[in-house]
Amino acid sequence: MSTPAARIADLLDVVPAASNPPVRPPDPVPEKPARAAGPVLAVTVMWGDLAEVPADLHVTGHYQSVVPAAAELALDEAISAGTRRLITEHTKLGWIDAQLGKITYFPGKGGTVRSAAVVGMGPLGTLTERRAGQMYASLLGEAVALGHVSTLATVLIGSGAGNLTVHQAARALARGFAGALTALGTSAAAPRLADAVVVEVDRLRAEQLHLALSEAAARLPQLRIASGLREGTGGLVLGPSAGVYALAALTGLAERGDGPALGGVLEGFDENVRAKIREQLARLADVRRTDLALTVGRPEEVPEGAVPVRMSVQSGVGGLRWAALTGRATVPERLVPVDTDLLRELVDRLTEPSVKDARELPDLLARFVVPPDFQRLLTDDATVLLELDRDTASVPWEFLAETEQAGDDRRDPLAIRTQLSRQLRTPYSRVMTESTTEGPLRALVIGDPGDPEKGHQLPGARREALAVHDRLKSLGVEVSLFLGAANSVRQAGFEPARRLDVLRVLLCGGNHIVHYCGHSDFDPTGAGRRSGWVFADGLLTAQELTLLERPPLIVVANACYTARLGGAGGPRTGTGPGSAAAPTAAADRTPWGNPQAALVPSLADEFLRIGVGHYVGAAWRIPDDQAVTFAEQFYGHLLRGGSDEAPPTVGEAVRAARKALYRPPAGGVPEDPDAAASGQRHSAWAAYQHYGDAADPFVRSGSTTARPGGAGGG
């Protein structure tokens, strides 16, 4: 290189390729293993795109309930025709059994990928090196048993989702494959499957993979690792890898002295600084590039459709167990020790918080319960999906804030800057349901169905229901409205909200949207508590909807806890759709807070189990005007947002409605005399929780078809 004003980009010319071999001598070839007594598998490491590698069977890993991303998404797109993605839809409908080692097959549409499969990895955050070895053994054993597969193409399953390093996953692959081949024995005929290709799209990781796999298989006679890295099509050099290659090139220049290229790069530095740089580069020359790693703080541009950041948060012995799946970082499982009493108090104070608590406690929430290295994932670069269990769902995660901002120099909350949605880990299996696909959009709206003689009347809920009715009709939706109890003041032109009449429309009406404004409660009778919506003549729960063949795509419920039905003293009435709860017994409390905090997850669980795609609920009382604003913004964006190329998504609609209610906290604002009412108005945006797939597109206004909802449960 003779150009005196060389740039770092120029140094990337030394990236190894078939036409440009590396300058550094190759690593020593491991000693040959003993001859295998049984079948032998030839393994090739290839730099390229999995979907563009010819093979009889293409395989990726699959976590339970996690929609495809990265290599799995590329494979999904390769086998799917049109916009409907097979693996994604099967995941949302709960049709993929992702238990460890369980394999699900998909036919290809022709082309390079003739047949695809996903192998189960279990729940997110549970894959260890030992379990990964079992998974690989199951994969190869079944691929051999198929009889028609001669070439298998896969990726290094387990190394890109936060659990295993490249070396750990490579050891698991080598041991698992070798174990499966050993189990075949020497008496059986040689299997048709003789070649496996392990594909990596990033160049540096491909080199690391080849090195790690060669070391792992050095003493395993059942495996023969092809020497050298093969090049396919579709390979990339990602930003961190490009930086490592640039450093490797600089070290080579440093070894040869301060030539014109290095001088150009260092031009402008003080001579003492240049000497120190050359000294450190000379030290780096002794380090293999496969042992180097760089972290890029933030990509220059976030591509449309960026991989969501998925975090799993589960309650466990000793604290909260976290795991993360992201296209931008590799992070293992974490255990955060949490004092239950402190967390319970934090949940209590952030559930219908005062202005002061809403301003000061979100930062504590992130620092107290989120692992430090997970906190950097909480940015507005991509959608955030939180996979929660029934206990951790009680935490008001919508308040999450970045912890890097100090003092009063704070950014807006994460749920305002990006789409933040929840998915519920539940023992219930997602039922097989059909979506409503005929006729115009239809909606069912229910307002103020409680018994006024028990103090359950809510004038604000009536106003919200009427406003939602008018807004949906203006957007071209056919609306059925049930308003007030049979023994309440009647509204001319609308039927009263009796459970039987509402159930008839739910079961027979083919509604895409259901909107409820009123009270909710737990039913303490029977085996286990169920939750539902309060009517004058009883509680309507998902139990009454189990025979619903075509569940609504979206349920929106502005419904808050009303204390025990018929409990001592009854509930206290309020101005919003919910009410202030009467004092509750200790038995009503959840591990992390009061029943108010647990109500929305409980209701979401009830409705998601019958096949509802999305559940949007308010976790505390909302002032009447703000409840109307949220509904109008949500439905307006959902039914008229987006473009012909990119239809609106449910997550975008929730975010737009939250933004319409959000007011940035101002430091030093004195508390209003009515602190509770002030807190409701200040934090209403955070009360709305969305359970479902944030990226799920919704039917447009005037359309005659509707998509299945996202996988909220399961």
Side-chain angles (χ1 to χ4, degrees), residues 27-28 30 45 166-167 170 204-218 225 228-229 288-291:
D27 297 314
V45 178
V166 171
H167 285 274
L204 181 61
R205 275 180 57 92
E207 289 190 54
Q208 294 169 333
L209 168 57
H210 182 264
L211 179 61
L213 203 53
S214 298
E215 294 174 349
I225 310 300
L229 184 65
R288 293 184 302 189
R289 61 173 174 268
T290 50
D291 293 333

Side-chain angles (χ1 to χ4, degrees), residues 166-533:
V166 171
H167 285 274
Q168 288 174 324
R171 287 196 299 265
L173 183 150
R175 293 169 183 167
F177 278 8
L181 293 170
T182 300
L184 295 176
T186 58
S187 57
R192 182 172 182 179
L193 179 55
D195 295 285
V197 183
V198 187
V199 187
E200 170 57 50
V201 71
D202 178 60
R203 175 66 198 214
L204 181 61
R205 275 180 57 92
E207 289 190 54
Q208 294 169 333
L209 168 57
H210 182 264
L211 179 61
L213 203 53
S214 298
E215 294 174 349
R219 298 184 181 277
L220 297 174
Q222 299 87 354
L223 302 180
R224 292 178 183 169
I225 310 300
S227 61
L229 184 65
R230 305 295 172 86
E231 288 190 28
T233 56
L236 301 173
V237 178
L238 302 180
S241 297
V244 170
Y245 285 128
L247 283 176
L250 282 172
T251 60
L253 293 174
E255 286 181 305
R256 295 192 295 270
D258 192 353
L262 184 58
V265 172
L266 301 181
E267 184 178 358
F269 285 101
D270 178 84
E271 176 56 36
N272 291 332
V273 176
R274 287 203 298 270
K276 292 294 183 182
I277 292 175
R278 286 194 296 270
E279 178 184 344
Q280 295 302 324
L281 288 175
R283 292 182 180 180
L284 279 174
D286 295 329
V287 180
R288 293 184 302 189
R289 61 173 174 268
T290 50
D291 293 333
L292 296 174
L294 291 178
T295 300
V296 176
R298 178 173 297 189
E300 294 181 1
E301 181 178 334
V302 180
E304 185 177 348
V307 176
V309 173
R310 177 183 292 271
M311 293 188 180
S312 172
V313 193
Q314 299 181 63
S315 56
V317 178
L320 300 182
R321 293 193 174 277
W322 290 74
L325 176 63
T326 168
R328 295 183 294 125
T330 300
V331 285
E333 187 181 24
R334 295 282 190 266
L335 174 64
V336 179
V338 173
D339 184 298
T340 303
D341 291 335
L342 286 174
L343 182 55
R344 180 183 294 118
E345 181 180 355
L346 182 59
V347 170
D348 282 343
R349 289 177 59 177
L350 280 177
T351 301
E352 199 167 356
S354 67
V355 175
K356 183 173 184 293
D357 284 346
R359 183 175 64 246
E360 296 178 352
L361 294 183
D363 185 66
L364 175 62
L365 174 66
R367 295 180 186 275
F368 181 43
V369 300
V370 181
D373 50 348
F374 280 37
Q375 292 171 6
R376 62 185 175 85
L377 302 177
L378 299 177
T379 71
D380 48 3
D381 287 347
T383 297
V384 175
L385 300 177
L386 297 174
E387 182 184 280
L388 309 169
D389 59 26
R390 286 287 290 270
D391 288 339
T392 57
S394 298
V395 179
W397 299 106
E398 286 67 24
F399 276 117
L400 277 176
E402 278 189 82
T403 59
E404 296 180 359
Q405 304 294 328
D408 293 330
D409 184 20
R410 299 173 181 173
R411 302 180 66 192
D412 291 340
L414 187 66
I416 297 298
R417 304 197 318 269
T418 190
Q419 301 175 53
L420 186 148
S421 298
R422 299 165 169 233
Q423 292 186 306
L424 197 61
R425 185 183 291 271
T426 170
Y428 301 127
S429 297
R430 180 72 182 272
V431 297
M432 296 173 60
T433 58
E434 300 180 33
S435 61
T436 301
T437 57
E438 297 180 355
L441 277 174
R442 289 181 290 271
L444 169 63
V445 180
I446 308 158
D448 188 25
D451 188 348
E453 295 181 2
K454 297 180 181 178
H456 291 162
Q457 75 279 7
L458 295 169
R462 288 198 177 209
R463 289 191 290 270
E464 179 185 345
L466 286 167
V468 170
H469 168 270
D470 294 343
R471 179 57 169 158
L472 288 174
K473 286 186 70 69
S474 72
L475 292 168
V477 181
E478 291 187 1
V479 185
S480 300
L481 173 61
F482 291 89
L483 202 63
N487 61 341
S488 67
V489 177
R490 301 288 296 275
Q491 190 90 13
F494 300 109
E495 295 184 44
R498 299 184 181 93
R499 277 198 309 163
L500 187 63
D501 293 330
V502 169
L503 185 61
R504 171 183 58 82
V505 176
L506 276 170
L507 293 180
C508 308
N511 295 283
H512 302 86
I513 298 169
V514 174
H515 190 108
Y516 175 85
C517 322
H519 286 298
S520 290
D521 204 349
F522 296 102
D523 179 3
T525 63
R529 291 194 319 178
R530 303 183 67 81
S531 55
W533 295 337

Side-chain angles (χ1 to χ4, degrees), residues 67-201:
V67 293
E72 187 182 8
L73 179 59
L75 193 61
D76 195 7
E77 293 172 341
I79 65 173
S80 304
T83 58
R84 186 173 182 268
R85 294 170 180 164
L86 285 175
I87 302 177
T88 299
E89 290 298 328
H90 277 63
T91 302
K92 291 179 178 180
L93 293 170
W95 292 346
I96 297 181
D97 185 354
Q99 296 182 57
L100 188 72
K102 184 75 173 181
I103 302 175
T104 305
Y105 295 94
F106 297 89
K109 62 181 181 181
T112 304
V113 182
R114 298 191 291 270
S115 179
V118 294
V119 57
M121 304 166 68
L124 179 65
T126 63
L127 192 67
T128 62
E129 183 175 335
R130 180 183 62 82
R131 287 170 59 83
Q134 296 171 346
M135 175 195 67
Y136 277 115
S138 175
L139 168 61
L140 188 64
E142 186 158 333
V144 169
L146 290 175
H148 68 277
V149 176
S150 60
T151 303
L152 171 73
T154 185
V155 292
L156 189 62
I157 300 171
S159 65
N163 288 297
L164 306 177
T165 66
V166 171
H167 285 274
Q168 288 174 324
R171 287 196 299 265
L173 183 150
R175 293 169 183 167
F177 278 8
L181 293 170
T182 300
L184 295 176
T186 58
S187 57
R192 182 172 182 179
L193 179 55
D195 295 285
V197 183
V198 187
V199 187
E200 170 57 50
V201 71

Side-chain angles (χ1 to χ4, degrees), residues 580-675:
T584 57
D588 284 336
R589 298 181 66 84
T590 71
W592 306 130
N594 56 40
Q596 178 71 46
L599 182 61
V600 175
S602 178
L603 288 167
D605 198 6
E606 294 286 310
F607 283 92
L608 293 172
R609 69 179 295 205
I610 65 169
V612 169
H614 301 267
Y615 189 93
V616 180
W620 56 81
R621 293 177 299 165
I622 306 298
D624 300 338
D625 61 323
Q626 290 190 313
V628 171
T629 297
F630 182 92
E632 290 180 339
Q633 292 290 327
F634 174 75
Y635 292 122
H637 190 92
L638 191 69
L639 301 177
R640 286 195 174 163
S643 64
D644 292 337
E645 296 78 16
T649 67
V650 182
E652 290 170 347
V654 172
R655 180 193 173 208
R658 284 173 179 156
K659 289 179 68 176
L661 300 183
Y662 177 67
R663 293 188 302 171
V669 175
E671 288 288 340
D672 293 345
D674 185 354

